Amino acid sequence: MPRITTTDIRNKKAKKEKITMLTAYDYSMAAMVDEAGIDMILVGDSLGNVMLGYENTLPVTMEDMVHHTKAVSRASKNAMVVADMPFLSYHISREEAVRNAGRLIQEGGAQSVKLEGGIERVDTVKAILDAQIPVVGHIGLTPQSVIQLGGFKVQGKDVETANRLIKDAKAIEEAGAFCIVMECVPTPLAKKISEEISVPTIGIGGGPYCDGQVLVINDMLGMFKGHIPKFVKKFANLEPIIMEALKAYKEEVEAGTFPAEEHGFSMKEEVLEKLY
Ligand code: KIV
C-alpha cells in the first residue's frame, strides 16, 4: 500500500470517509499504529506531557521533536507522519519557521508539520507551504497558548469567540493547510466549521461531526496516570495490565523462579571441564 498523501486526506472529506489520526512518539508504538491502518501519525508535542513528564507542552524543544519524529518515521510505512512544531519554533520569524519545519522533514523524516493558531499564523503557514512542506493547522484550544488562555478550557462558547474561531478556520484554510485540528470546540460549532470549510477538520474534543478524529495514544490506551480529559475514550485499559506484569516480574526475580532453565544458554561440557 502506498503512503497516504495530502490528496488522499482531502479526498476522504469529499467522499465523506472519516479520517483517523493518533499520536505516537516512539518506534514500537508507531509501527503498531501504522499496521492498524491509521491514516496519519502525529508526533505531537504532547510528548512533553506523556513522554517527558512536563506539566505542559511549552518546554518541548526542536531537538525533542526531531528525535521522536525520527523514531516514528523509521516505523511508519503507510501512514502520513505529521510532526508538531514546538513552542517558539515558528513565532519569531518566517525564516526560522521554514528552517524548523524543514528540519522536521529533512532530519525527522515527516511528511508534514502542524502548527497552532489562526489568523495570526496565516503568513507563517504560507511561508512553510512556499518551501513545499504540507501544513496541518490547529485551532480552538491551542495548548501552547495555555498561559494566555488561562488553562485548558473549551473554546468558542460565546458569540465573539465562536465567530473568531470560524474566522481562524477560514483563514488557515485559505492560507493552504490541507487539514485543521480543532481541539475542545463545542460540537455544534465544530459541525458548522466542518460544513463551511473545504479542507478536512480533525477533532479532539470537537464532537462527532468533524471529518476525522485524533487522540493522544497513551490516553486512549489507558496508560497515562495524569489528568485524562472528558473527550477521551479509553479503548483499552493497559495500565493495570502493565502494573500486574511489573509486579509479577519483581516477585519472580525475588523468589528465584525467573529466569527458568529455558531462558538460559547452554555450553559444551568439554569446554566447561577445561576451565580453571
Ligand atoms: O500534541 C498533540 O498531541 C496534539 C493533539 C492534542 C492534537 O496536538
Side-chain angles (χ1 to χ4, degrees):
M1 205 171 74
R3 194 186 288 283
I4 303 272
T5 64
T6 57
T7 310
D8 295 327
I9 299 298
R10 283 174 181 270
N11 286 347
K12 280 201 156 200
K13 175 160 181 150
K15 290 190 274 180
K16 296 194 181 339
E17 289 173 15
K18 292 284 187 184
I19 299 157
T20 53
M21 184 191 239
L22 279 174
T23 68
Y25 318 102
D26 66 82
Y27 180 86
S28 305
M29 193 62 89
M32 286 192 269
V33 175
D34 192 78
E35 196 184 322
I38 300 297
D39 295 316
M40 291 188 277
I41 304 180
L42 172 64
V43 190
D45 62 352
S46 51
L47 67 83
N49 305 87
V50 294
M51 294 282 114
L52 304 177
Y54 296 135
E55 229 172 79
N56 55 46
T57 56
L58 300 182
V60 176
T61 64
M62 271 303 296
E63 301 317 313
D64 294 331
M65 291 311 304
V66 169
H67 177 76
H68 286 272
T69 304
K70 279 182 179 175
V72 168
S73 298
R74 283 184 210 115
S76 101
K77 294 182 173 53
N78 304 122
M80 169 184 287
V81 176
V82 183
D84 247 342
M85 297 199 67
F87 179 58
L88 279 193
S89 69
Y90 56 96
H91 305 73
I92 292 161
S93 71
R94 287 197 272 289
E95 286 73 18
E96 266 195 50
V98 175
R99 195 171 309 284
N100 285 326
R103 284 192 66 194
L104 293 167
I105 304 293
Q106 203 168 42
E107 296 174 45
Q111 286 82 47
S112 58
V113 298
K114 175 167 85 57
L115 56 87
E116 299 181 3
I119 294 167
E120 74 283 7
R121 296 287 164 240
V122 164
D123 290 344
T124 309
V125 171
K126 284 183 179 167
I128 295 171
L129 281 167
D130 226 34
Q132 315 303 321
I133 299 171
V135 177
V136 176
H138 184 159
I139 61 169
L141 170 54
T142 45
Q144 291 171 16
S145 320
V146 62
I147 301 171
Q148 195 193 21
L149 295 175
F152 298 101
K153 297 175 186 159
V154 179
Q155 302 295 303
K157 286 187 88 132
D158 56 45
V159 177
E160 194 190 325
T161 56
N163 276 332
R164 162 85 199 197
L165 265 184
I166 295 170
K167 280 191 189 148
D168 282 340
K170 290 186 175 168
I172 293 299
E173 172 192 31
E174 231 173 274
F178 73 93
C179 65
I180 302 176
V181 168
M182 276 202 287
E183 182 165 351
C184 285
V185 173
T187 300
L189 177 60
K191 180 171 187 278
K192 182 174 165 62
I193 292 174
S194 301
E195 286 166 358
E196 287 186 10
I197 64 174
S198 63
V199 295
T201 57
I202 312 291
I204 174 161
Y209 305 105
C210 295
D211 302 302
Q213 298 292 329
V214 58
L215 283 175
V216 168
I217 195 138
N218 296 58
D219 292 346
M220 61 86 74
L221 290 180
M223 44 189 273
F224 182 55
K225 266 187 171 297
H227 169 72
I228 304 288
K230 168 183 154 78
F231 55 74
V232 172
K233 175 175 173 178
K234 281 191 188 176
F235 286 81
N237 195 15
L238 298 188
E239 203 253 348
I241 296 172
I242 294 170
M243 283 309 295
E244 201 180 316
L246 300 181
K247 283 179 188 161
Y249 169 76
K250 175 179 157 66
E251 271 170 31
E252 289 197 25
V253 170
E254 287 173 354
T257 53
F258 175 82
E261 205 55 48
E262 73 262 28
H263 302 117
F265 301 96
S266 64
M267 70 189 284
K268 287 193 179 113
E269 225 16 79
E270 71 239 40
V271 176
L272 253 187
E273 280 162 12
K274 284 187 188 139
L275 299 181
Y276 301 112

